[in-house]
């Protein structure tokens, strides 16, 4: 849904695929129930799916889950990033954790022998368990961002911050001659990232290359629209803050605050 939203599109319908070796029917029902809850929340029709039992391909107890979504947007309403220009401000919408990206590194660093168990509550997580922090449900930004899209033409570009972090995703929507300058000190980073960095002794620039680091979604908006956007987002329950600006320069993303 967030990927569709980055183009200004709304979701229509969703299909799933579950491949497995020996999952009992009640486990498959649990998976589909979770997908159904997310579809209801986003006003999406779950119109079908497929299961494939392949014991020689999947290990016992493992499963592969794939989703496919279709959305729509009038061509004249597509948000492509072409409207981004120097002087625009960047607004970061808060993430609540990994949001489905970077789990290979997180698991290697945090889980396993001589590391943490899912129920452990290290001091850096302020009372939350490792398992709960890693499994925080990826939020949908559909409703708050859609309200902004309906209110006018203040949004010039959007990026869903997934694998590749801020540099790898924001650059995709920038036109030539626009450099995104991002001040990382303005982004509220969930504690799980601090724990991963410490336990893995991972350089900060690598953390920002792999993870969203607290910015789950970024809007590029006209400077005169930024205050209105922030008010609507924060009053609508989505934490948001100005995290940078667009300046003239070679197309790219520059993170301020990393040595």
């Amino acid at each position: 849904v967030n990927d569709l939203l980055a183009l200004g599109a709304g979701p229509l319908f969703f299909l799933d695929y579950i491949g497995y070796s020996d999952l009992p029917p009640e486990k498959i029902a649990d998976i589909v129930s979770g997908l159904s809850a997310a579809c209801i929340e986003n006003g999406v029709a779950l119109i079908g799916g497929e299961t494939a039992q392949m014991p020689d391909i999947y290990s016992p107890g493992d499963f592969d889950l794939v989703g496919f979504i279709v959305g729509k947007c009038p061509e004249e309403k597509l948000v492509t990033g072409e409207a981004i220009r120097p002087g625009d401000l960047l607004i970061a919408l808060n993430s609540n954790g990994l949001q489905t990206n970077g789990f290979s590194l997180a698991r290697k660093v945090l889980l396993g022998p001589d590391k943490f168990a899912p129920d452990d509550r290290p001091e850096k997580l302020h009372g939350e368990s490792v398992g709960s922090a890693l499994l925080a449900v990826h939020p949908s930004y559909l409703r708050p961002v859609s309200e902004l899209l309906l209110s006018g033409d203040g949004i010039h570009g959007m990026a869903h911050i997934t694998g590749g972090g801020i540099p790898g995703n924001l650059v995709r929507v920038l036109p030539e001659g626009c450099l995104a300058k991002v001040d990382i000190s303005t982004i509220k980073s969930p504690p799980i990232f601090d724990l991963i960095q410490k336990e893995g002794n991972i350089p900060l620039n690598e953390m920002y290359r792999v993870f969203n680091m607290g910015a789950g979604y970024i809007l590029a908006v006209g400077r005169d629209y930024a205050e209105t956007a922030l008010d609507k987002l924060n009053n609508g329950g989505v934490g948001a803050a100005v995290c940078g600006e667009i300046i003239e320069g070679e197309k790219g993303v520059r993170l301020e605050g990393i040595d």
Side-chain angles (χ1 to χ4, degrees), residues 96-111 115-116 122-125 129-131 133-135 189-204 206-208 210-214:
N96 65 352
L98 273 65
Q99 300 196 174
T100 69
N101 286 98
F103 276 92
S104 296
L105 179 56
R107 289 174 62 197
K108 181 177 181 180
V109 169
L110 298 182
L111 303 177
K115 297 178 183 178
F116 296 108
E123 184 178 348
K124 282 190 175 294
L125 293 186
S129 71
V130 171
L134 289 176
L135 294 176
S189 187
I192 186 66
F193 295 122
D194 191 25
L195 181 66
I196 292 170
Q197 184 182 12
K198 175 182 177 294
E199 294 298 321
N201 193 27
I202 302 170
L204 191 58
E206 179 67 4
M207 291 291 294
Y208 272 88
V210 176
F211 302 106
N212 66 68
M213 295 302 288

Side-chain angles (χ1 to χ4, degrees), residues 144 147-152 225-238 240:
E147 289 182 9
L148 295 183
L149 291 170
L150 290 171
S151 67
Y225 182 68
E227 185 175 350
T228 298
L230 286 172
D231 286 344
K232 289 185 176 182
L233 290 167
N234 285 307
N235 291 334
V238 180

Side-chain angles (χ1 to χ4, degrees), residues 3 5 8-9 22 36 42 45 51 56-57 75 87 92 156 161 165 184 192 203 247:
D3 287 340
L5 182 62
D22 62 348
S36 299
N42 288 277
T51 58
D56 294 332
I57 303 299
E75 188 172 0
H156 297 162
I161 309 305
I184 66 169
I192 186 66
I247 62 174

Side-chain angles (χ1 to χ4, degrees), residues 30-97:
D30 284 344
I31 295 169
V32 176
S33 294
L35 295 174
S36 299
C39 286
I40 291 170
E41 179 185 340
N42 288 277
V44 182
L46 178 58
I47 64 171
E50 180 182 3
T51 58
Q53 188 171 11
M54 297 185 288
D56 294 332
I57 303 299
Y58 298 104
S59 299
D62 290 348
F63 65 90
D64 186 20
L65 178 62
V66 181
F68 175 80
I69 193 165
V70 172
K72 71 171 183 176
C73 181
E75 188 172 0
E76 67 274 10
K77 295 291 186 179
L78 282 171
V79 181
T80 64
E82 293 179 358
I84 294 175
R85 56 183 179 268
D88 283 356
L89 295 181
L90 300 172
I91 295 177
L93 279 59
N94 293 348
S95 76
N96 65 352

